[in-house]
Amino acid sequence: MKKYLIAGNWKMNTVVSSAEELVNSIKLVLKPLPESIKVLVCPPFTNLASVKQNMGESSLLLGAQNCHWESKGAYTGEISIDMLKVLGVKYIIIGHSERRTYFFETNEILNKKIHSIFDNFVKPIYCIGETLKERESGKTFDILYEQLEIGLKNVKSSVVENLVIAYEPVWAIGTGIAATVEQVEEAHDKIRNKLIDMFGENANDILLLYGGSVTPQNSLEIFGLKNVNGALVGGASLKAESFIDIINSSLQLTQH
Ligand code: PGA
């Protein structure tokens, strides 16, 4: 059965009280989900503990939005994977385009983070995506392949079942202009084939998420594509209602 992961990236939004409110509203309307559908929320670091506590016995999973690759030491302002693990973090978003753009994270840096995440038995959600300029100049797949080759360098094929890739065209993030279904399909098919080239048949188990202006209006069609296993949702994950509607799209496809 096709697997889905619906991940909410809360970015730099919510304080403890509003994060608790949001997770409680999601919990309240979340239907029981089959094993094949996982739902993840990724609040800011400061709200991880209280969100985890408020998740209670629900099936929700906890994720973080970044980490450092070292386990401890003199790295003022940074957060290690150990610190996240003890809070119940199961997934870590790596290489979001906002981190690449505003914090100058390179494919090489992201490769170090991905190795540390695997070494700590947590699951990386590795974000890749092209800018509008790169798409318009026909470089989309050169960029995506480079992000995959360098970011995933020396990753063993035995661990890739725990890898999640989020294809997020930079021009679609937070703009309200999602990629078309054809663009998502083309990118995801090519990403899957590239991963099979790199890791062999194990790459069929890698979850491929689409991200960039996902809403309840477009999620059903996008989730229906063969190589789409869910979404990394920004804006629409900050409202329980829209996030739940997106989750329900995967439920609808699973029940058919
Ligand atoms: P968006 O963000 O859904 O608001 O476009 C997606 C993301 O940045 O992960």
Side-chain angles (χ1 to χ4, degrees):
M1 178 177 287
K2 189 174 172 189
K3 288 186 182 167
Y4 285 99
L5 173 66
I6 317 299
N9 175 11
W10 294 4
K11 307 193 181 184
M12 197 171 72
N13 295 294
T14 67
V15 294
V16 171
S17 55
S18 49
E20 286 178 356
E21 234 169 81
L22 181 53
V23 73
N24 282 320
S25 332
I26 294 170
K27 209 170 73 177
L28 214 64
V29 272
L30 187 68
K31 293 186 189 143
L33 297 172
E35 262 295 296
S36 58
I37 302 178
K38 303 260 187 272
V39 179
L40 175 71
V41 293
C42 305
F45 291 136
T46 51
N47 305 339
L48 286 168
S50 60
V51 166
K52 174 69 184 165
Q53 204 174 6
N54 280 271
M55 282 176 175
E57 297 300 304
S58 74
S59 59
L60 290 170
L61 295 165
L62 189 66
Q65 299 173 21
N66 185 26
C67 66
H68 196 274
W69 61 88
E70 291 290 352
S71 56
K72 61 180 176 176
Y75 299 97
T76 303
E78 289 293 325
I79 304 283
S80 76
I81 300 163
D82 255 353
M83 296 171 190
L84 298 171
K85 259 171 75 171
V86 297
L87 297 177
V89 164
K90 303 289 184 210
Y91 292 80
I92 304 177
I93 300 171
I94 288 298
H96 190 281
S97 73
E98 287 150 18
R99 298 229 42 100
R100 293 177 186 263
T101 307
Y102 305 134
F103 303 100
F104 314 110
E105 294 194 9
T106 60
N107 291 323
E108 288 77 9
I109 289 176
L110 301 171
N111 181 245
K112 289 195 209 183
K113 294 188 181 196
I114 287 170
H115 278 285
S116 298
I117 292 172
F118 279 128
D119 291 347
N120 281 283
F121 305 104
V122 180
K123 298 179 181 181
I125 300 178
Y126 179 44
C127 303
I128 60 172
E130 80 289 356
T131 62
L132 188 58
K133 203 168 152 213
E134 287 159 350
R135 177 163 281 269
E136 285 174 348
S137 53
K139 292 200 188 116
T140 298
F141 295 103
D142 295 339
I143 295 294
L144 297 180
Y145 295 165
E146 187 180 42
Q147 290 170 335
L148 291 174
E149 278 166 14
I150 304 175
L152 300 174
K153 194 171 172 202
N154 293 330
V155 167
K156 294 202 175 71
S157 72
S158 57
V159 300
V160 297
E161 62 177 344
N162 293 317
L163 173 65
V164 182
I165 300 287
Y167 168 58
E168 299 207 306
V170 180
W171 47 272
I173 296 175
T175 57
I177 307 165
T180 63
V181 174
E182 292 73 25
Q183 286 169 327
V184 178
E185 184 170 43
E186 182 189 30
H188 279 239
D189 289 353
K190 291 202 175 186
I191 291 167
R192 178 76 72 199
N193 288 334
K194 175 70 182 170
L195 291 167
I196 291 172
D197 280 350
M198 292 170 69
F199 299 109
E201 288 305 310
N202 286 3
N204 284 313
D205 294 332
I206 299 173
L207 299 184
L208 301 188
L209 313 186
Y210 168 74
S213 299
V214 173
T215 63
Q217 286 71 44
N218 59 24
S219 52
L220 188 64
E221 207 176 1
I222 293 174
F223 291 175
L225 297 171
K226 177 170 161 261
N227 278 312
V228 175
N229 301 100
L232 184 55
V233 188
S237 74
L238 292 171
K239 291 212 167 67
E241 207 177 77
S242 44
F243 191 51
I244 291 287
D245 285 347
I246 292 169
I247 296 165
N248 286 343
S249 295
S250 63
L251 200 53
Q252 207 175 316
L253 289 161
T254 303
Q255 284 164 343
H256 277 147

